[in-house]
Amino acid sequence: CVATVLDRLSNQHWEPTERISWHESDTMISVGKIVNMIGDFKPDITVLDIGGMGKPVYDRLIEVKMDIRPFDGGSTDGVDTRQHTNIRSASYHTTKEWIDNGWLILKRERDGSLVKELEKIWRLYQSNGAKAIEPKVKMKKRLGYSPDEADSLNMAIWGACTQLGK
């Protein structure tokens, strides 16, 4: 599990200032860590991946009245499917746009492993021209691990764009 704190530096510039990871697979440990981080950082929004084991964590956080925005990467809700295959694809292409335009400030000493993960994300194109991202199952098999730091940053950017506005 990885949590990314994305801070706004200016009207156009953002920086991932904190990246917190943990390896316990216990749902309640994750709930406790997330509640603690929300108390410490007091974010404007909190985004949580609801795929796989994220869903029970999300359900428990909602149950205790935490304001959590769900990220369902496989969903097509709100996505122009002529452009992107799902939310994960649309959000990763937005992350690329942020990097290409210099809106995301990455620092070599802090973000080296994150950049390496981002470089390993494969962009694909469907026969209808829609953009896609390599399926997570195939990516994990190819890499031998899940690109959790990249996914966490990606969800933070998606949250900033869709929940706070561009």
Side-chain angles (χ1 to χ4, degrees):
C1 301
V2 178
T4 297
V5 176
L6 186 64
D7 283 331
R8 176 179 249 158
L9 301 177
S10 71
N11 286 340
Q12 291 184 347
H13 298 97
W14 297 74
E15 180 177 20
T17 54
E18 297 280 342
R19 197 166 22 266
I20 301 156
S21 63
W22 62 99
H23 301 285
E24 297 88 355
S25 58
D26 184 292
T27 299
M28 293 311 292
I29 289 175
S30 291
V31 167
K33 288 184 179 290
I34 293 166
V35 168
N36 187 56
M37 284 184 276
I38 291 171
D40 287 347
F41 293 104
K42 298 175 183 31
D44 292 328
I45 61 164
T46 303
V47 176
L48 184 73
D49 185 354
I50 62 169
M53 289 307 298
K55 181 70 166 94
V57 173
Y58 172 79
D59 290 344
R60 180 66 183 136
L61 289 166
I62 294 302
E63 188 178 292
V64 296
K65 308 288 188 233
M66 301 301 295
D67 181 18
I68 307 292
R69 313 299 167 88
F71 180 90
D72 183 2
S75 172
T76 58
D77 289 347
V79 174
D80 179 353
T81 55
R82 295 168 300 178
Q83 296 289 319
H84 296 282
T85 55
N86 55 30
I87 289 173
R88 187 165 172 266
S89 169
S91 61
Y92 261 111
H93 284 85
T94 298
T95 296
K96 181 185 181 317
E97 178 185 20
W98 276 39
I99 292 167
D100 290 349
N101 287 308
W103 301 333
L104 183 66
I105 307 301
L106 297 173
K107 295 182 177 175
R108 183 181 313 270
E109 63 278 356
R110 180 194 61 216
D111 301 315
S113 61
L114 168 64
V115 170
K116 286 179 183 175
E117 283 188 8
L118 288 167
E119 289 172 340
K120 293 178 182 177
I121 305 293
W122 285 2
R123 296 173 32 190
L124 309 170
Y125 294 90
Q126 302 298 307
S127 59
N128 66 355
K131 297 173 189 168
I133 296 296
E134 179 183 22
K136 188 81 174 260
V137 172
K138 288 183 179 181
M139 187 181 305
K140 286 166 99 172
K141 186 175 181 178
R142 175 175 58 86
L143 297 175
Y145 63 89
S146 176
D148 294 334
E149 290 184 26
D151 286 348
S152 181
L153 173 67
N154 182 56
M155 286 183 272
I157 291 171
W158 174 84
C161 287
T162 63
Q163 308 298 309
L164 295 177
K166 287 192 179 186

